[in-house]
Amino acid sequence: MRPIAKVAVIGMALGLAATVGVASGALEAKELKFSTNVPDDNMFTRHSRLFAEKVAAKTNGDVKITVYSNSTLGNDRDVLEGMQVGTIEMAINSGGTLSNFAPEAGVFGLPFLFEDWDHLSQALRSDVVKEVNEKVVAKSNIRVLGWMQQGFRVLLTNKRKVNTIEDMKGLKIRLPQDKILIETFELLGAAPTVIPWTDVYVAMQTGVVDGMESTPPSIDSMKFQEVADYLALLNHQHTVIGILIAEPVWKSLSSSEQAAMQEAADEVLEENFREARANSEASLDRIRQGVKEVTQPDTTTLRSAVRPMYEDFGKRTGTQAVIDKILNM
């Protein structure tokens, strides 16, 4: 290693030690930076701040968490890389993004894995979460304190309404850079088209794409229903959002501080479960009012088309047992 690189690594390590209060002469309070990628008024930033308040109360101020919203500390991938090198201590981030560092984190994003909100909540409260989280921390050195909900994803289209898998064929559907979503829509016969989120409205309006998909709150926040004719309640995926902490930071905490932090996370998760469902349903009502027609596709053939993903993903990530447990709940 070159001398300059050595200095940089040592500097980051010392900075992390000072931040979490484990070095000699460290701060009395352990001060942690917490990153969110959404604005202050977003549910996830509000829940992150609630978590910080609970941790402060449960540790009598010995652990102080400062939440930085709206990607102030960097985009999703930058933040996770920062957690790995010690420049950021905590964050919320999607399982999809985390799967770039630990593929196992993507298991909850498999298409049609969850039947409904109750099934989702049951799975996220079960021991399968612990199995996944153990694999994630071993691969990424990032610990998941719990998974938050945001909403089942639905489909907006212009070219035609979607009722069956035949209706999906050839539709140019805007997707994020998410491997699981892209493979899902390829198997359904659509033509995935990756376009930046900020360009979706114009892409729909001008016919660059025939449709887009996302959670109801995200769609409603951007008013995409204004440039769409049809809404299909596919509910094809539910992207979960992890409450994350860098593993070296977690290990630096006392056992009582760890217990307080996990307890705070568990309480916030329950609040999130209640609010996420209500927010999603309210947003969905507004989207319904903005389109010409709403369909509820029969997902039987859709589920059959994507089922090969389960076996492939299970084999690659060692999560087949987790997938089977969720499906059999």
Side-chain angles (χ1 to χ4, degrees), residues 75-266:
N75 64 36
D76 288 354
R77 189 179 183 99
D78 290 341
V79 166
L80 293 180
E81 290 174 348
M83 292 178 71
Q84 290 182 318
V85 300
T87 57
I88 299 172
E89 290 78 44
M90 297 193 70
I92 57 167
N93 220 310
S94 72
T97 306
L98 186 55
S99 69
N100 290 300
F101 301 84
E104 296 82 357
V107 66
F108 299 121
L110 287 172
F112 303 110
L113 184 65
F114 302 108
E115 292 287 340
D116 52 30
W117 285 95
D118 291 337
H119 184 201
L120 170 69
S121 296
Q122 182 184 6
L124 295 184
R125 290 187 179 106
S126 73
D127 287 342
V128 299
V129 167
K130 295 178 183 178
E131 293 181 45
V132 173
N133 292 353
E134 287 172 1
K135 293 176 181 293
V136 170
V137 72
K139 286 279 185 71
S140 66
N141 215 26
I142 294 174
R143 177 174 293 270
V144 184
L145 298 180
W147 296 99
M148 294 194 286
Q149 303 174 0
Q150 59 176 326
F152 284 91
R153 301 175 81 93
V154 296
L155 176 69
L156 288 178
T157 57
N158 274 325
K159 195 171 185 179
R160 58 178 173 268
K161 60 185 176 182
V162 172
N163 268 312
T164 68
I165 193 168
E166 286 73 24
D167 297 328
M168 294 287 294
K169 294 191 182 303
L171 285 180
K172 292 180 291 183
I173 304 298
R174 181 272 168 186
L175 296 174
Q177 190 67 56
D178 183 309
K179 292 179 180 178
I180 289 178
L181 274 174
I182 290 171
E183 185 176 355
T184 295
F185 278 84
E186 286 176 341
L187 290 172
L188 295 179
T193 306
V194 176
I195 291 177
W197 181 249
T198 52
D199 297 340
V200 175
Y201 192 102
V202 173
M204 288 280 290
Q205 191 175 44
T206 59
V208 172
V209 293
D210 302 316
M212 61 81 59
E213 59 74 61
S214 191
T215 63
S218 295
I219 290 173
D220 187 42
S221 69
M222 301 295 285
K223 306 303 178 188
F224 291 141
Q225 63 266 34
E226 295 177 349
V227 289
D229 292 330
Y230 308 108
L231 166 66
L233 304 178
L234 280 186
N235 294 344
H236 50 283
Q237 187 196 58
H238 194 295
T239 304
V240 293
I241 304 295
I243 302 175
L244 313 177
I245 182 168
E247 183 66 0
V249 179
W250 175 260
K251 289 180 176 178
S252 76
L253 301 175
S254 68
S255 58
S256 62
E257 288 167 345
Q258 290 178 350
M261 189 171 283
Q262 186 62 64
E263 185 177 272
D266 292 342

Side-chain angles (χ1 to χ4, degrees), residues 8-21 23 31 33 85-87 89:
V9 172
I10 293 170
M12 284 189 293
L14 291 176
L16 176 59
T19 299
V20 300
E31 300 184 1
K33 295 186 295 296
V85 300
T87 57
E89 290 78 44

